[in-house]
Amino acid sequence: MSPSVLTAPAKLTLSLRITGRRPDGYHLLDAEMVTLDLADRLVVEPGDGLIVADAGAGTAVDPTGPPATPGVPAGGDNLVMRALDLVGRRARVTLHKSIPAGAGLGGGSADAAAILRWAGFGDERRAAALGADVAFCLRGGRARVGGIGEIISPLDFEPRTFTLCPPPFGCSTAAVYRAWDELGGPVGPAGNDLEVAALVVEPRLAEVRDGLAEATGQRPRLAGSGSTWFVEGSYPAPGRRVAQTTPSLRVA
């Protein structure tokens, strides 16, 4: 097997409504998601194991130790390794991170989806078993997402530009959903039902939101469970990233 270089684009959740909760605890969603040009890069070659490269420095991941890159799970907990297990393949993967961890931009899901595409795996419902965003990241483009993330209804591609503002801290998706339940299931004020809960879990988000609002004159929206805030349009400034949507990754 010769080395393969894979692209793992981030996803942006433009709207997120929680429509129910299954008996097993999983939440049912009605969301609109798009693929961005912000992406991780994976190099897949013969061997076994995972190397995470952050800011140009590669460090081998010790399965028994802490993650080499903050916020990136190590060993079998990493979605790249779980994706390899799902398709029954072994490989040595070097993961070059550009998507911030814990930012609500689907970095881990995008990495897993890149491995599934590399392996020729297209079962979106089984992909969703790895994580709620993996099925959408496998297809890419723009779609309405339902169920627990496994129901993908493609929408026409729209070229759009967004300014992202990821703070230097992440949000735990599990903690945000738990807080949403404890708050009685509030409806989000800007199209994202998880926004109120995310602010309870991480109060520092309010300062980031208000700073982006002041800089752009827009009401920022929260990406998924956080921690990234975004507005539509291009507002380049230190600490912010301008990202554009990209067409579907899948060829029917």
Side-chain angles (χ1 to χ4, degrees):
M1 179 179 69
S2 59
S4 299
V5 180
L6 315 178
T7 300
K11 62 90 186 175
L12 184 63
T13 303
L14 300 183
S15 64
L16 173 59
R17 296 300 185 194
I18 302 176
T19 60
R21 187 180 179 188
R22 300 194 321 193
D24 60 8
Y26 284 96
H27 294 79
L28 301 174
L29 313 176
D30 181 7
E32 181 184 351
M33 298 182 185
V34 295
T35 298
L36 300 177
D37 63 357
L38 170 64
D40 290 343
R41 183 168 59 91
L42 295 81
V43 179
V44 183
E45 52 195 332
D48 192 4
L50 175 66
I51 293 174
V52 180
D54 189 24
T59 305
V61 173
D62 178 359
T64 64
T69 301
V72 179
D77 290 334
N78 190 284
L79 284 176
V80 167
M81 305 306 291
R82 292 175 58 195
L84 286 169
D85 288 340
L86 178 62
V87 298
R89 302 282 291 272
R90 304 311 324 152
R92 182 177 184 266
V93 180
T94 303
L95 173 56
H96 298 268
K97 290 297 296 178
S98 294
I99 305 171
L105 299 174
S109 297
D111 298 336
I115 291 295
L116 298 181
R117 286 193 298 274
W118 164 77
F121 184 93
D123 188 330
E124 290 163 359
R125 289 183 178 269
R126 290 181 64 195
L130 295 175
D133 294 331
V134 178
F136 170 76
C137 290
L138 180 60
R139 178 179 291 265
R142 172 174 172 250
R144 188 168 184 173
V145 178
I148 62 170
E150 83 283 13
I151 301 174
I152 312 296
S153 301
L155 299 171
D156 291 340
F157 171 69
E158 296 179 347
R160 299 167 76 176
T161 300
F162 300 93
T163 296
L164 312 179
C165 188
F169 55 84
C171 278
S172 163
T173 298
V176 171
Y177 273 100
R178 186 163 54 248
W180 187 84
D181 289 334
E182 293 170 352
L183 290 167
V187 175
N192 183 347
D193 286 350
L194 293 178
E195 180 178 320
V196 175
L199 286 164
V200 169
V201 170
E202 183 45 86
R204 291 179 294 174
L205 285 172
E207 182 179 353
V208 180
R209 176 199 61 201
D210 295 346
L212 183 58
E214 182 178 355
T216 64
Q218 293 196 50
R219 202 294 188 186
R221 288 177 279 170
L222 188 68
S225 59
S227 58
T228 297
W229 295 96
F230 70 94
V231 295
E232 189 154 5
S234 177
Y235 299 91
R240 303 189 184 98
R241 162 94 185 209
V242 176
Q244 297 181 334
T245 54
T246 59
S248 176
L249 300 167
R250 288 274 299 280
V251 178

